[in-house]
Amino acid sequence: MLTGIPVSKGISIGEAHILDRSKLCVLKQTIDSSDIDKEIIRFRIAIEQTKKQMQETKKKASEVADKYSIILDTYTLLLDDDILVNDTISKIRNEKINAEWAITETLNKSLLLFDNINDDYLKGKKDDLELVVHGVIKNLLGHSQNALADIQKPVILITHTLSPADTISIPRQYVLGLATEVGGKTSHVGIFASALGIPGVVGIKSLTTKINSGDQIIIDGISGHVITKPTKKTLDHYKIKQLEHKKYERKLLVDIKKPAVTTDDFRIRLMANIESTHEIKALKNFGAEGVGLYRTEFLFLTSQSFPSERDLYENFKKAAQEISPHPIIIRTLDIGMDKQLHFYGHNEEDNPALGLRGIRMSLAKPEQFIIQLRAILKASLYGEVKILYPMISDADEIVQANSILEGIKEEFRAEQIPFNEDIEIGAMIETPSSAICAELILKEVDFISIGTNDLIQYLLAVDRINEQVAHLYQPYNPSILKTLRDVFDAAAAAGKRVSICGELGGDPMITLFLLGLGHLSDLSMDPHSIPKIKKIICQSSLKEAEEFSKHVLSLGSTNEINTFLNEEMKKRYPSDFAQDSKYEIKENS
Ligand code: PEP
Ligand code: MG
């Protein structure tokens, strides 16, 4: 049994098809001075060909999975990278070597720079760079970009990684599941696998050396296991698990139109987190009642420069219209930390998580903030649009942000530019100071939304993207749960809406606890999580949830809380929590 990172839920059982395409054979060749220009042209043509292939892939991708097509734009940007292109051209010219060898050397030099980096996001960029350069080399060598076409029967793909072109040309009808050696939770393979509903596990070191084509294997995209050559007993267990999972998923989607109401009539609005407006179309399939968090950073991260006010306005307007009559909460730019804009002239910071990010950046450099607010205000006529400020650490920041907003409203009134005068303003509660002083923050806003991803990071002093301390990132730590209780109490006292838009909002293990805090108005999450969370809410009463939360808050340690939540949730909702553990087999241990 091999263990990796589960990226797409489900079980698949089938024959392995090894597709190790990570090794390209590149030879060094010297060239004559008279051939240098020709070689540079050959290199440029290969770059252009690769860009074209990316764009074609992107076109196909947008038909299947819009979010994935955005990632392909970032690959195309890498092909315009000065260092990659110019260093390779200088090498061809100065060392009189062939383009394949020159770009391989440029790549190896660039990859060395990543070796000392302990940051998942930047490490992901290393894989991206390798992938893009391999595409160029294949074009230089005249290799076909699509060797998946020879798959003619149902298989489980086992590979080092998959290029975007590979991923998009996966013959869906034949690929039952997939597992790769590299990649993380947010890698493009994972996003794509889950968009297509193909069970997937990534990040299993040396996977391709441990399995042979034709071996029978099982992919467990729920627990992250890959089981090779299973015994009959194991196989039977997984066949049951597979059936149960399919049945369970089908059942969840039956009640998609039903609201999330407890048995004693307490209603919670379940909304979706999105990174791109392309995702809105699919939200109704999961029963989302609006967008609780639009992370606008991705609009900027996939651009070469700042989008114009017009571009932003068009984007927000379309989003508001598509989601209407439901609301959309647009978060102003939360750039900084792991999301850096290369065109923002960002300063190097020793502690970027504690640096100029979110609202701090917006207040320090208000030009872009003003453009965003203008675009949101103009779009506010086309639906129930709300504004959300990220990374608030004190009420003064909201006063400053609101005064900028007020200035824009004044200008609009003077120029007779229409907008919704009653547009609501919210603050994210994701720093300890904002949580402790939630009552002060609440005086300045219409609603609050708790960003548990960052709140946990800052309360526990555990970097959310550092794998070395990942085991210390404990959402069920008593300090987190008590902080949530206090923030909920503050919102109740102020009579204002409180939602959770961090990962905890979509974690079914903690739903009953959140409900029991008594004043939960909305949860916003990855849309795929909505059906299960809704089912739990509909099966519970507020009264039992309150008892439950009280008990959880009386427990003295993370371990105790973990054990209690695990046992209780399985006992109370057997059909919802058996999924992840009921059929667990410890065959090799
Ligand atoms: C959060 O911090 O919980 C959140 C929702 O914002 P992000 O994950 O974008 O930082
Ligand atoms: Mg955050």
Side-chain angles (χ1 to χ4, degrees):
M1 188 186 282
L2 310 164
T3 304
I5 304 163
V7 288
S8 179
K9 285 205 177 212
I11 310 285
S12 58
I13 302 169
E15 214 176 84
H17 180 97
I18 311 286
L19 193 87
D20 187 4
R21 309 172 69 214
S22 63
K23 297 165 196 96
L24 284 170
C25 184
V26 175
L27 298 175
K28 183 175 184 180
Q29 287 168 351
T30 47
I31 52 174
D32 289 341
S33 305
S34 58
D35 286 333
I36 288 176
D37 287 340
K38 252 196 269 166
E39 191 65 7
I40 292 172
I41 290 172
R42 198 169 74 84
F43 172 63
R44 286 205 182 277
I45 290 173
I47 293 266
E48 288 314 310
Q49 248 179 317
T50 317
K51 274 192 203 169
K52 227 162 108 196
Q53 284 153 352
M54 288 283 177
Q55 286 315 309
E56 279 164 17
T57 307
K58 185 187 150 154
K59 242 191 265 158
K60 286 189 209 157
S62 59
E63 288 159 18
V64 206
D66 286 322
K67 193 165 179 176
Y68 182 72
S69 80
I70 292 177
I71 297 172
L72 296 182
D73 278 335
T74 60
Y75 291 148
T76 311
L77 287 182
L78 283 175
L79 289 166
D80 284 326
D81 184 76
D82 276 353
I83 300 177
L84 186 72
V85 177
N86 293 340
D87 274 17
T88 304
I89 290 177
S90 303
K91 267 185 197 301
I92 297 172
R93 200 178 287 291
N94 300 335
E95 299 172 30
K96 295 185 193 157
I97 50 171
N98 55 327
E100 291 89 332
W101 191 260
I103 192 171
T104 303
E105 287 206 329
T106 312
L107 171 68
N108 290 341
K109 202 171 111 194
S110 306
L111 293 183
L112 280 181
L113 301 175
F114 287 92
D115 277 356
N116 295 325
I117 293 176
N118 251 333
D119 175 320
D120 273 354
Y121 179 76
L122 290 175
K123 269 195 197 150
K125 292 275 153 241
K126 179 181 170 181
D127 292 340
D128 293 350
L129 185 63
E130 219 173 341
L131 238 147
V132 165
V133 170
H134 280 189
V136 178
I137 296 175
K138 275 184 207 158
N139 281 322
L140 284 165
L141 292 171
H143 279 204
S144 147
Q145 293 278 339
N146 182 8
L148 284 160
D150 44 337
I151 297 178
Q152 299 290 342
K153 59 176 183 184
V155 292
I156 292 178
L157 270 191
I158 301 293
T159 176
H160 176 69
T161 185
L162 282 174
S163 75
D166 287 337
T167 316
I168 202 72
S169 52
I170 277 181
R172 174 66 192 97
Q173 72 275 32
Y174 294 136
V175 178
L176 304 171
L178 61 89
T180 65
E181 294 182 336
V182 298
K185 261 213 179 316
T186 55
S187 62
H188 70 95
V189 180
I191 293 171
F192 199 74
S194 80
L196 290 184
I198 299 174
V201 178
V202 302
I204 306 179
K205 277 197 190 117
S206 316
L207 174 71
T208 53
T209 62
K210 293 176 180 149
I211 296 173
N212 294 315
S213 278
D215 283 355
Q216 187 176 42
I217 57 169
I218 300 169
I219 301 280
D220 183 341
I222 301 166
S223 64
H225 291 138
V226 173
I227 296 104
T228 59
K229 299 184 186 154
T231 61
K232 172 147 186 343
K233 183 180 150 218
T234 306
L235 204 56
D236 287 347
H237 272 288
Y238 275 96
K239 280 183 181 161
I240 298 171
K241 188 171 178 180
Q242 187 181 40
L243 272 175
E244 291 288 326
H245 186 74
K246 281 188 182 157
K247 214 158 72 187
Y248 178 74
E249 287 208 316
R250 262 199 311 272
K251 254 197 186 125
L252 279 181
L253 293 174
V254 168
D255 294 330
I256 224 61
K257 294 212 170 87
K258 238 172 78 178
V261 185
T262 61
T263 52
D264 46 0
D265 275 342
F266 188 73
R267 192 173 181 339
I268 307 285
R269 186 168 52 181
L270 300 184
M271 305 169 89
N273 292 349
I274 60 165
E275 275 90 43
S276 143
T277 49
H278 296 296
E279 293 170 72
I280 293 179
K281 265 199 304 257
L283 295 187
K284 62 174 180 308
N285 300 338
F286 303 99
E289 299 171 280
V291 171
L293 173 66
Y294 178 14
R295 291 181 165 107
T296 55
E297 299 75 69
F298 289 83
L299 262 177
F300 293 73
L301 287 165
T302 51
S303 300
Q304 296 271 32
S305 57
F306 282 110
S308 64
E309 180 185 317
R310 170 126 216 125
D311 290 344
L312 292 175
Y313 159 67
E314 294 291 352
N315 181 283
F316 299 155
K317 174 182 166 185
K318 190 163 169 272
Q321 284 173 327
E322 277 185 23
I323 199 73
S324 188
H326 299 302
I328 178 165
I329 300 177
I330 303 177
R331 178 170 80 181
T332 59
L333 199 55
D334 185 13
I335 221 68
M337 204 177 95
D338 58 329
K339 301 186 207 108
Q340 302 283 352
L341 287 185
H342 65 95
F343 48 83
Y344 212 163
H346 217 276
N347 292 330
E348 283 291 312
E349 293 179 307
D350 284 338
N351 264 319
L354 305 181
L356 203 57
R357 61 169 293 204
I359 197 73
R360 301 171 182 184
M361 173 84 94
S362 294
L363 295 175
K365 301 181 182 181
E367 323 80 52
Q368 286 306 320
F369 186 51
I370 290 170
I371 291 173
Q372 289 164 58
L373 292 177
R374 287 176 63 92
I376 300 175
L377 277 184
K378 286 184 179 173
S380 68
L381 289 178
Y382 298 92
E384 195 183 339
V385 175
K386 301 169 198 263
I387 300 174
L388 182 62
Y389 299 139
M391 197 55 194
I392 290 292
S393 37
D394 107 357
D396 286 346
E397 285 169 339
I398 304 173
V399 173
Q400 286 177 59
N402 278 347
S403 119
I404 294 174
L405 182 67
E406 232 6 87
I408 302 170
K409 285 183 178 176
E410 277 305 315
E411 268 176 48
F412 277 19
R413 286 181 198 117
E415 292 167 31
Q416 298 193 330
I417 300 173
F419 64 96
N420 174 14
E421 287 277 358
D422 300 321
I423 189 165
E424 287 192 2
I425 307 298
M428 286 198 67
I429 302 293
E430 48 185 351
T431 61
S433 58
S434 67
I436 293 168
C437 287
E439 82 195 77
L440 302 177
I441 306 274
L442 278 152
K443 287 189 181 144
E444 309 299 334
V445 292
D446 301 296
F447 66 95
I448 53 173
S449 190
I450 309 177
T452 48
N453 304 342
D454 277 315
L455 186 61
I456 296 168
Q457 145 166 284
Y458 294 124
L459 276 175
L460 300 181
V462 174
D463 186 344
R464 67 189 252 195
I465 52 176
N466 179 348
E467 64 203 14
Q468 299 193 57
V469 288
H471 61 291
L472 300 173
Y473 189 90
Q474 297 279 3
Y476 310 148
N477 183 297
S479 67
I480 307 295
L481 304 185
K482 285 180 197 298
T483 304
L484 292 178
R485 174 201 57 196
D486 295 345
V487 175
F488 273 63
D489 286 350
K496 293 191 176 166
R497 290 186 86 92
V498 53
S499 81
I500 294 197
C501 63
E503 290 298 306
L504 221 52
D507 174 5
M509 196 61 93
I510 202 76
T511 308
L512 191 61
F513 170 83
L514 297 176
L515 194 58
L517 292 180
H519 189 68
L520 178 66
S521 343
D522 313 284
L523 288 173
S524 191
M525 63 196 80
D526 165 14
H528 292 85
S529 306
I530 292 177
K532 186 163 179 172
I533 301 289
K534 185 187 287 182
K535 187 162 178 241
I536 292 168
I537 293 172
C538 293
Q539 291 178 81
S540 317
S541 72
L542 186 59
K543 199 160 171 297
E544 70 170 306
E546 280 167 357
E547 290 297 315
F548 184 85
S549 306
K550 222 185 273 166
H551 183 74
V552 171
L553 287 167
S554 74
L555 298 173
S557 71
T558 311
N559 261 345
E560 267 182 75
I561 297 175
N562 265 331
T563 311
F564 177 76
L565 288 177
N566 261 296
E567 288 173 358
E568 265 314 293
M569 296 309 278
K570 271 179 208 155
K571 203 162 80 196
R572 289 171 188 247
Y573 312 92
S575 65
D576 303 290
F577 287 90
Q579 279 301 315
D580 296 343
S581 57
K582 192 166 156 193
Y583 301 104
E584 210 57 76
I585 296 162
K586 304 254 185 289
E587 180 147 291
N588 296 352
S589 56

